[in-house]
Amino acid sequence: MAPEVLIIMGSKSDLPVGQKAMATLKELGVSAEIKVASAHRTPKLVQEIVEKSDAKVFIAVAGLSAALPGAIAAHTIRPVIGVPVSGKVNLDSVLSIVQMPPGIPVAAVGLDRGENAALLAAEILALSDASLALKLEAHRKEQESKVHADSSSIQEG
Ligand code: RP5
C-alpha cells in the first residue's frame, strides 16, 4: 500500500529534521516515506515525485530560501506542511514558507519542528481514520500527564 505521508527534504542535510517527522509518524502507526528532492536544484524531480505519489499529505522540509513546500503545492491540491530548517538566519526559511502567494497555500510549523508536522499530518488523516484519532487523543493525554508530573516534581524538590 502507498505510504499515507510523503516527506520530501530539500537536502540530505535536512535529515535530522525529517527523521523527527518519521519517528513521530511511526509512533502513531502512520505509514510514511522520506525522499530528497530540491525545489531549485531538481525542480523536475519534485514534480515527478508529487505527480507519481499516492500520499494523502506531504511534509516538505527545507532551509534557506525554502521554496520546496510551495513547489510541491504547485503540483497538487493535497495538503502540504512546510517545516523551515534552522541555519545562520532562520527567518529566511520561515518567511519563505509562510509568505506563499494567494491561491497556493501551505501550512507551516515552527523551525525544525518535524514532530509537529507529523502530528498535523496525522490530525488531517484522523478526520477519516477513527483509530488514528484515538491515538492522537492518547498522545495529548500523555503530554497532560507529563506536565502534571513535572509540576509535582518541582514542588517536591
Ligand atoms: C535547502 O538548502 C535545503 O533544504 C537545505 O536546508 C539548505 C542547504 O542545502 P545543502 O547545501 O546542505 O545541500 O535547499
Side-chain angles (χ1 to χ4, degrees):
M1 210 175 77
E4 292 172 288
V5 177
L6 178 54
I7 302 168
I8 306 177
M9 302 178 296
S11 168
K12 192 179 173 190
S13 65
D14 300 320
L15 190 56
V17 179
Q19 279 171 332
K20 287 198 243 177
M22 273 302 262
T24 302
L25 290 167
K26 196 173 173 196
E27 274 173 39
L28 292 166
V30 175
S31 58
E33 196 179 357
I34 191 162
K35 290 177 185 286
V36 175
S38 163
H40 301 108
R41 293 175 277 204
T42 59
K44 286 181 185 155
L45 177 63
V46 171
Q47 179 174 5
E48 192 183 302
I49 287 173
V50 173
E51 287 177 351
K52 281 191 183 160
S53 170
D54 290 318
K56 293 179 181 151
V57 182
F58 293 92
I59 292 176
V61 182
L64 299 178
S65 173
L68 185 60
I72 293 170
H75 299 294
T76 183
I77 58 163
R78 290 167 282 172
V80 179
I81 302 165
V83 188
V85 173
S86 59
K88 286 187 186 151
V89 182
N90 292 331
L91 261 186
D92 47 4
S93 57
V94 171
L95 293 178
S96 296
I97 293 173
V98 169
Q99 291 285 34
M100 284 295 291
I104 311 290
V106 300
V109 294
L111 268 179
D112 300 334
R113 288 272 81 90
E115 65 280 65
N116 272 1
L119 288 167
L120 185 52
E123 287 176 6
I124 293 167
L125 295 169
L127 290 170
S128 56
D129 183 338
S131 73
L132 181 54
L134 288 175
K135 286 181 196 166
L136 286 167
E137 294 285 358
H139 184 261
R140 290 282 172 104
K141 287 271 177 227
E142 276 169 33
Q143 291 178 82
E144 191 183 331
S145 302
K146 185 177 181 308
V147 172
H148 287 301
D150 286 349
S151 184
S152 301
S153 72
I154 291 168
Q155 281 160 31
E156 283 158 15

